[in-house]
Amino acid sequence: MSQSKPETDGDPPKRLRDFLVLTSGGVAVLALLFLTGAIGLVEWITGAVVMTAGALAFYVGSAPASQKIRTAEVLDPPERKISASEDTAIESFIAALPLPALLVSPEGQLSSVNGHARSLFRLEATTASPPAALLRQPDLLAALDRVAADGANERVEFSQHGDAEVWMAHVRPGPETRSVLAVFEDLTAVRRAEKARADFLANASHELRTPLTAIGGFIETMRGPAKDDKEAWDGFLEIMAQQTERMKRLVADLLSLSRIEFSEHRAPSTQIEFVDLARTTSFGLKPIAEEAGIKLHFDAPDHVIHAIADDDEIAQVIQNLASNAIKYARRGGEVQILVGSATTMADAAIACSRQSEEAKRSVLLQPYAASGAPALWVRVTDDGAGISEEHLPRLGERFYRVDESRGGKIEGTGLGLAIVKHIMARHRGGLAVESLEGHGTAFGVWMPRLKTDANT
Ligand code: ADP
């Protein structure tokens, strides 16, 4: 912000010095003339008085005009008063503002509070009262007082309704002298996004640092105490390879997540045949299932199901849900991947996530598509330990892992379900989980399909 430089021409100390030099110089010259007999006593006194008066006039007269006006203003500021009709216009203006706003009168009373401000501060209909009687925000009240006193603009951030909301008050001088106008801006979403980004970065760096620290530790050991113990090296190298894999998975998941988040607001535009894509993806998971000793079943209708979707992203949804099911299924157990079509989104939601009476469930993503739109669904079920009820609503949050509390035995990044959630959001679909502890878990996704399909 540019600041105006103070003027120096009429600098008071400088002018005083000029005044003294002029007076004393003049008086000295007159004294010399008197002493040499050139002038008499009366002339000397008269000359000295005239000289002093002239210098005084010069001193006062040389003060810059702007400074004189400013001084006059400070001593006697012009009162700004408004008429009754202006008052009504201001009141209507404040009422029409789409943001909370209030006006404090020159007498220090809340004279106008619009509906948004009343609900922000939970105020009954406004009666003229001092702000301190109605607002519980010490910083805001102090800013209102300061602006009324010195007329400078201020901004104050405060939280409201516990810490649930964050607001910025823009406090300005009002239309009358010593009146104050405050307009409020909701910063809750901005602050939340900032916190989510900071948490995400903190989590991501923590997750990356963990395997790196392990690898670093083994390198130190292999260079130091275990330098000659070549037999131990195999074990160390094996763990280092595992940690490297973990880091690779994490980086791949982070990249997927950021790519999907980037494109989330652009709807997919290609037509795909869903059944074939789901079948191919599921078969691709057979080797992992076999390695884990899990039987993998796939079932889908005989007819084709078309949808507008991104095939890579849909494959990733099935992969993430099915690989979780394989990871968390009972040893020697089985995982089912079922695909279906439904007349409406509402029916699809029931088909993929409301199949067990006793199970607890949570909808992790509400679909954006209309509930009457024709839909398709996928349900991935396992017979593992299940997930307890309190964890269900938090699944799909980045880095949220139930296993952390179970001792973190099963490897994972905590990003798989977050990726599924974002992909389904892009496809205007839903995500739900249903689980019964000790019996298993089912994840369901559903989304709109094209109407041209057979039998529904
Ligand atoms: P991760 O890479 O840890 O598997 P996800 O986002 O895919 O990350 O899953 C988050 C958490 O949800 C997992 O850590 C696990 O605790 C839990 N979870 C996901 N799928 C299942 C399942 N089929 N059975 C039991 N728990 C599951």
Side-chain angles (χ1 to χ4, degrees), residues 324-325 327-328 382 387 395 400-403 412-417 441 443:
N324 272 354
K327 231 168 26 178
Y328 298 104
D382 66 65
I387 306 169
L395 298 173
Y400 189 79
R401 302 200 67 220
V402 178
D403 295 294
T413 61
L415 292 173
L417 290 176
T441 304
F443 280 90

XYZ file of all heavy atoms in Angstrom, residues 324-325 327-328 382 387 395 400-403 412-417 441 443, ligand 1:
176
model
N -9.206 -55.397 -1.636
C -9.463 -55.278 -0.197
C -10.167 -56.535 0.319
O -9.800 -57.085 1.353
C -10.387 -54.088 0.091
C -9.597 -52.799 0.281
O -8.372 -52.815 0.299
N -10.304 -51.694 0.417
N -11.197 -56.959 -0.425
C -11.960 -58.138 0.018
C -11.033 -59.349 0.121
O -11.097 -60.115 1.091
C -13.092 -58.403 -0.961
N -7.820 -59.266 0.633
C -6.898 -59.004 1.746
C -7.544 -59.311 3.093
O -6.919 -59.848 3.994
C -6.531 -57.508 1.716
C -5.080 -57.235 1.751
C -4.646 -55.827 1.452
C -5.540 -54.668 1.690
N -4.914 -53.380 1.377
N -8.817 -58.953 3.227
C -9.460 -59.046 4.550
C -10.369 -60.267 4.696
O -10.991 -60.452 5.739
C -10.250 -57.757 4.831
C -9.352 -56.542 4.875
C -9.306 -55.645 3.815
C -8.519 -56.305 5.967
C -8.469 -54.543 3.836
C -7.675 -55.205 5.992
C -7.650 -54.329 4.930
O -6.809 -53.249 4.958
N -17.023 -60.182 1.132
C -16.047 -61.146 1.663
C -16.583 -61.751 2.943
O -17.591 -61.288 3.486
C -14.682 -60.467 1.902
C -14.734 -59.431 3.001
O -14.976 -59.807 4.171
O -14.546 -58.230 2.710
N -16.157 -55.140 9.904
C -15.679 -53.835 10.402
C -16.688 -53.362 11.442
O -17.897 -53.411 11.199
C -15.616 -52.800 9.252
C -14.769 -53.340 8.087
C -15.068 -51.469 9.729
C -14.865 -52.523 6.811
N -14.853 -44.732 6.625
C -14.160 -45.386 5.505
C -14.263 -44.468 4.288
O -15.282 -43.823 4.078
C -14.816 -46.735 5.189
C -14.753 -47.746 6.334
C -15.570 -48.987 5.985
C -13.307 -48.137 6.639
N -7.510 -43.231 6.226
C -8.210 -43.853 7.358
C -8.089 -45.366 7.245
O -8.521 -45.963 6.271
C -9.690 -43.443 7.384
C -10.367 -43.907 8.654
C -10.192 -43.198 9.836
C -11.128 -45.076 8.683
C -10.765 -43.631 11.014
C -11.708 -45.513 9.861
C -11.520 -44.781 11.016
O -12.090 -45.217 12.191
N -7.466 -45.984 8.260
C -7.281 -47.437 8.245
C -7.794 -48.024 9.553
O -7.352 -47.641 10.623
C -5.795 -47.796 8.094
C -5.164 -47.226 6.827
C -3.910 -47.982 6.466
N -4.219 -49.346 6.075
C -3.505 -50.407 6.419
N -2.437 -50.263 7.170
N -3.858 -51.602 6.026
N -8.716 -48.979 9.435
C -9.242 -49.635 10.628
C -8.134 -50.477 11.252
O -8.020 -50.592 12.464
C -10.438 -50.544 10.246
C -10.972 -51.284 11.460
C -11.528 -49.716 9.592
N -7.272 -51.015 10.403
C -6.244 -51.948 10.885
C -5.221 -51.314 11.797
O -4.598 -52.004 12.584
C -5.505 -52.569 9.707
C -6.464 -53.395 8.920
O -6.926 -54.408 9.467
O -6.788 -52.988 7.814
N -1.317 -51.710 3.683
C -2.246 -50.881 2.910
C -1.854 -49.430 3.032
O -1.047 -49.059 3.886
N -2.446 -48.610 2.157
C -2.094 -47.185 2.176
C -3.189 -46.339 2.812
O -2.966 -45.182 3.154
C -1.889 -46.676 0.734
O -3.124 -46.858 0.021
C -0.785 -47.420 0.031
N -4.395 -46.908 2.915
C -5.510 -46.104 3.431
C -6.042 -45.136 2.380
O -6.772 -44.209 2.704
N -5.675 -45.375 1.115
C -6.144 -44.463 0.061
C -7.097 -45.151 -0.925
O -7.761 -44.492 -1.713
C -4.952 -43.894 -0.730
C -4.034 -42.950 0.039
C -2.806 -42.597 -0.790
C -4.774 -41.687 0.430
N -7.158 -46.502 -0.870
C -7.942 -47.261 -1.860
C -9.406 -46.836 -1.897
O -9.969 -46.601 -2.977
N -10.036 -46.738 -0.723
C -11.466 -46.390 -0.700
C -11.685 -44.915 -1.035
O -12.712 -44.557 -1.618
C -12.084 -46.722 0.663
C -12.223 -48.223 0.962
C -12.744 -48.443 2.372
C -13.157 -48.894 -0.053
N -17.905 -58.438 5.139
C -18.195 -57.064 4.715
C -18.623 -57.070 3.262
O -18.148 -57.903 2.481
C -16.896 -56.219 4.844
O -16.440 -56.318 6.183
C -17.135 -54.761 4.503
N -19.075 -54.163 0.087
C -19.056 -52.793 -0.415
C -19.900 -52.762 -1.677
O -19.815 -53.682 -2.508
C -17.627 -52.350 -0.749
C -16.846 -51.931 0.467
C -16.092 -52.865 1.174
C -16.870 -50.609 0.910
C -15.373 -52.487 2.301
C -16.151 -50.234 2.041
C -15.408 -51.162 2.739
P -5.979 -49.890 2.546
O -4.931 -49.652 1.541
O -5.527 -49.695 3.934
O -6.704 -51.168 2.336
P -8.470 -48.636 1.894
O -8.819 -47.214 1.739
O -8.724 -49.520 0.732
O -6.983 -48.676 2.334
O -9.271 -49.191 3.131
C -9.310 -48.451 4.313
C -9.490 -49.374 5.491
O -10.787 -49.935 5.445
C -8.551 -50.531 5.494
O -7.342 -50.202 6.103
C -9.317 -51.554 6.280
O -9.086 -51.306 7.635
C -10.759 -51.247 5.979
N -11.323 -52.179 4.980
C -11.458 -51.931 3.665
N -12.034 -52.992 3.060
C -12.256 -53.895 4.012
C -12.832 -55.210 4.021
N -13.295 -55.787 2.910
N -12.915 -55.851 5.214
C -12.453 -55.299 6.335
N -11.904 -54.069 6.394
C -11.799 -53.386 5.259
